[in-house]
Amino acid sequence: SQQGEEDPQALSIQEGENATMNCSYKTSINNLQWYRQNSGRGLVHLILIRSNEREKHSGRLRVTLDTSKKSSSLLITASRAADTASYFCATSSGNTPLVFGKGTRLSVIA
Amino acid sequence: DGGITQSPKYLFRKEGQNVTLSCEQNLNHDAMYWYRQDPGQGLRLIYYSQIVNDFQKGDIAEGYSVSREKKESFPLTVTSAQKNPTAFYLCASSILTGTGGRGYTFGSGTRLTVV
């Protein structure tokens, strides 16, 4: 079952611009995580935000969580060509495995 | 360095053949997972295991089997009953099943193609 749904499905920006991706989910969660996947590779964990947190930063990444709207956003500031990848949100509910969304494909054009 | 290793990177299966995908981790993680990734469908859970000698079905377990005889190893067998096995298979591990702890660590994947 797919819990998170990312929006947009694809995003193309110029290097140096900010990239914003959104994730909506349906049920209550313990935490929400964002992962990155380069083409043909495994996923890499980026950041985790707990249900009692509203905002979290890690380097050029900023994640927000609005549990009342069941949504999260991932902001990548000052994008670089190396940020080109697919980004997935994943939700954790109870003692069950993470449920992943379908991802946003980000292209950063140099 | 600790990590999770999947092999082989590419695998070709003939019709009616069973194939086994390997997943090994040296992170001392208790939980391990298998996901299938198809284009445009994100990741779907096949099986997961929280402890040695125990595993649970995920959303798309039909046509697959697993074993967890050692903490470090969680091989996935794609049986002939899986009618559409062509996909990218990802193995992951974590400290805790539910909360995700510090997140999942993924292998680099196995691309399986039916020939």
Side-chain angles (χ1 to χ4, degrees), chain B residues 33-98:
Chain B
Y33 317 84
W34 276 104
Y35 287 90
R36 169 178 171 146
Q37 187 176 30
D38 295 280
Q41 293 197 45
L43 277 69
R44 292 184 290 169
L45 182 67
I46 305 172
Y47 269 100
Y48 68 101
S49 169
Q50 300 179 28
I51 195 169
V52 173
N53 292 323
D54 186 53
F55 47 82
Q56 309 294 328
K57 291 183 179 179
D59 298 318
I60 55 165
E62 185 174 351
Y64 300 96
S65 66
V66 294
S67 63
R68 188 87 186 275
E69 297 177 0
K70 298 186 301 182
K71 186 176 184 177
E72 302 79 15
S73 179
F74 192 41
L76 173 74
T77 296
V78 184
T79 74
S80 57
Q82 172 52 239
K83 298 306 179 187
N84 184 25
T86 295
F88 190 50
Y89 291 86
L90 287 160
C91 180
S93 68
S94 72
I95 296 172
L96 298 170
T97 300

Side-chain angles (χ1 to χ4, degrees), chain A residues 1-2 30-31 33 35 37 40-45 48 50 88 91-103 105, chain B residues 9 33 35 37 40-45 48 50 59 88 90 96-109 111:
Chain A
S1 56
Q2 220 92 39
N30 296 330
N31 65 64
Q33 305 177 28
Y35 288 78
Q37 184 182 34
R41 305 299 300 273
L43 278 69
V44 174
H45 180 255
L48 179 154
R50 300 189 190 286
F88 294 86
T91 54
S92 172
S93 304
N95 192 32
T96 56
L98 291 180
V99 179
F100 289 82
K102 295 183 179 181
R105 293 188 308 279
Chain B
K9 189 172 178 65
Y33 317 84
Y35 287 90
Q37 187 176 30
Q41 293 197 45
L43 277 69
R44 292 184 290 169
L45 182 67
Y48 68 101
Q50 300 179 28
D59 298 318
F88 190 50
L90 287 160
L96 298 170
T97 300
T99 65
R102 298 163 204 160
Y104 288 5
T105 301
F106 279 83
S108 55
R111 189 165 298 280

Side-chain angles (χ1 to χ4, degrees), chain A residues 4 54 72:
Chain A
R54 292 297 168 259
S72 173

Side-chain angles (χ1 to χ4, degrees), chain A residues 62-94:
Chain A
R62 172 178 170 256
V63 170
T64 61
L65 179 64
D66 187 335
T67 53
S68 66
K69 295 182 180 179
K70 291 186 170 59
S71 68
S72 173
S73 67
L74 172 67
L75 169 67
I76 304 174
T77 60
S79 296
R80 306 166 181 169
D83 294 327
T84 294
S86 291
Y87 292 82
F88 294 86
C89 69
T91 54
S92 172
S93 304

